[in-house]
Amino acid sequence: MSATADAAPGTVLAGASPWRLSLRRLKANRTALAFGALFVGLVLVCLAAPLYANHIAHTDPYTNHLTEKIVVDGKKVNVVSLDGVPIGPTWQRQFFLGADTNGRDTAVRLLYGGRNSLLIGVVAALITTILSVIFGAIAGYFRGFTDTVISRTMDVIWAFPVILLGVALGTALTVNQGLHLGPLDIDSKSKMIPIFIIAIVYVPYMARPIRGQVLSLREKEFVEAARAQGAGHLRIMFSEILPNLSSTVIVFFPLMVANAILLEAALGFLGVGVQKPEPSWGTMIGDGVDRILSGPHLAIVPGIMLVLTVLALNVLGDGVRDAFDPRAKVRVEQ
């Protein structure tokens, strides 16, 4: 029996919009929603870092406790032993996840490092998205010489491996003591440096698919109708083209955030990301590798947080892709 026959007399059945259908498919994907909730939980835990540091651990991410002792199971124990080995997890308020080689609370630095990693990842992904939409839309809509210049520039960036290009830019900006371009003056220790690097290197990975979609959209009937009614380029771009790119942007964004966080960790591990003493998951893993035998928690704990965050974003991104564009094959390659 049809849905119309099942409906009560006088009931008007309205067709569901594409957005409603997409949200319905996303709600049905419990795995994606569960991992989305995991990501939100990780974000909230990291945002609560000041509360944990001030009211539970009673320290900050920068204070050294090299010469201090704490009571563990009724015994006084050095935070860092005389031979330089830091204390492991105590499972109590102070040094819950142990200390690093400088006697700093690992749990506190983990949460503050998560704030930095998440901030850099999200802001870099936002900048990448904005630049990708601008360049991809302009190249696809105007074609010709404009498309050639933008596409060849994207190809140059695309030709370099992401990590190699990121390390090269990070090293150059560190040696140059930051970014100094006219009124733009950014210190080498600023978080804007890794944000700038990550935002730039990922633009081609998003701009190229957007350009391809715009090339298709500009030939559609509704664009021809708007052009026939005398609409200018800006009006067509903002009223006809960009609204039809929204699903693509939504699909790409969580994947871009995941890759930005992963690249930030790689840059931090290699020493060209967040600069010490500021913590990030990448810098903590880099510091912990040197103590992997005597203090494995120094690398394992931030590594687990990084894996959980990236995994949650990737599963959520796959769910969003399946919901908003089931036929798409969006991949952001490293």
Side-chain angles (χ1 to χ4, degrees):
M1 186 177 294
S2 66
T4 307
D6 291 337
T11 301
V12 179
L13 295 178
S17 66
W19 282 95
R20 183 172 296 179
L21 290 174
S22 299
L23 290 175
R24 187 179 300 169
R25 284 194 292 265
L26 183 59
K27 290 179 181 178
N29 191 339
R30 295 185 178 180
T31 302
L33 293 179
F35 277 92
L38 172 61
F39 175 71
V40 172
L42 291 171
V43 172
L44 293 177
V45 168
C46 291
L47 290 177
L51 296 176
Y52 177 83
N54 295 330
H55 300 289
I56 298 178
H58 302 293
T59 186
D60 59 50
Y62 313 109
T63 302
N64 296 336
H65 303 276
L66 285 169
T67 60
E68 295 183 18
K69 294 184 178 182
I70 62 170
V71 178
V72 180
D73 297 329
K75 298 179 181 179
K76 283 190 174 182
V77 181
N78 290 315
V79 175
V80 179
S81 65
L82 297 178
D83 56 356
V85 178
I87 190 173
T90 64
W91 311 119
Q92 58 188 31
R93 289 192 172 190
Q94 287 184 305
F95 302 101
F96 180 78
L97 294 175
D100 64 7
T101 53
N102 290 317
R104 297 173 296 197
D105 193 305
T106 300
V108 174
R109 287 183 63 80
L110 181 74
L111 298 183
Y112 275 93
R115 286 162 64 97
N116 289 333
S117 295
L118 291 169
L119 173 66
I120 292 172
V122 172
V123 174
L126 280 172
I127 296 175
T128 297
T129 300
I130 294 171
L131 294 177
S132 299
V133 170
I134 292 173
F135 289 121
I138 291 176
Y141 182 80
F142 290 103
R143 300 188 298 184
F145 177 75
T146 303
D147 182 20
T148 300
V149 172
I150 294 177
S151 296
R152 297 297 77 79
T153 303
M154 295 296 108
D155 288 343
V156 171
I157 300 175
W158 190 297
F160 292 90
V162 170
I163 295 180
L164 180 62
L165 181 58
V167 170
L169 290 174
T171 303
L173 292 175
T174 300
V175 172
N176 196 43
Q177 298 299 315
L179 182 63
H180 311 286
L181 292 175
L184 186 62
D185 190 3
I186 304 175
D187 185 72
S188 60
K189 294 185 178 181
S190 172
K191 297 185 187 70
M192 286 303 300
I193 294 297
I195 288 174
F196 169 78
I197 295 171
I198 296 168
I200 294 299
V201 299
Y202 274 124
V203 168
Y205 294 84
M206 188 172 180
R208 288 171 67 96
I210 288 177
R211 169 188 171 273
Q213 188 170 357
V214 173
L215 284 171
S216 175
L217 287 171
R218 75 183 304 278
E219 306 298 333
K220 298 294 184 182
E221 291 80 2
F222 58 86
V223 174
E224 293 291 340
R227 192 176 292 118
Q229 293 174 359
H233 295 312
L234 286 178
R235 182 177 175 184
I236 292 175
M237 189 73 75
F238 283 97
S239 63
E240 306 295 341
I241 301 294
L242 293 182
N244 285 281
L245 295 176
S246 56
S247 61
T248 301
V249 172
I250 291 173
V251 168
F252 261 102
F253 186 71
L255 300 176
M256 294 306 303
V257 174
N259 281 275
I261 292 174
L262 200 58
L263 181 56
E264 184 281 324
L267 295 179
F269 178 82
L270 296 172
V272 293
V274 175
Q275 297 299 305
K276 299 177 181 179
E278 283 285 337
S280 78
W281 290 337
T283 57
M284 292 181 69
I285 294 172
D287 292 339
V289 167
D290 296 332
R291 287 284 184 178
I292 194 65
L293 296 179
S294 58
H297 63 283
L298 297 177
I300 292 175
V301 171
I304 290 174
M305 290 291 284
L306 179 63
V307 168
L308 288 176
T309 303
V310 174
L311 177 64
L313 280 169
N314 275 300
V315 175
L316 175 62
D318 286 342
V320 171
R321 180 198 62 201
D322 294 339
F324 282 83
D325 195 355
R327 294 174 296 177
K329 294 182 179 179
V330 175
R331 292 290 184 272
V332 181
E333 299 177 357
Q334 287 285 356

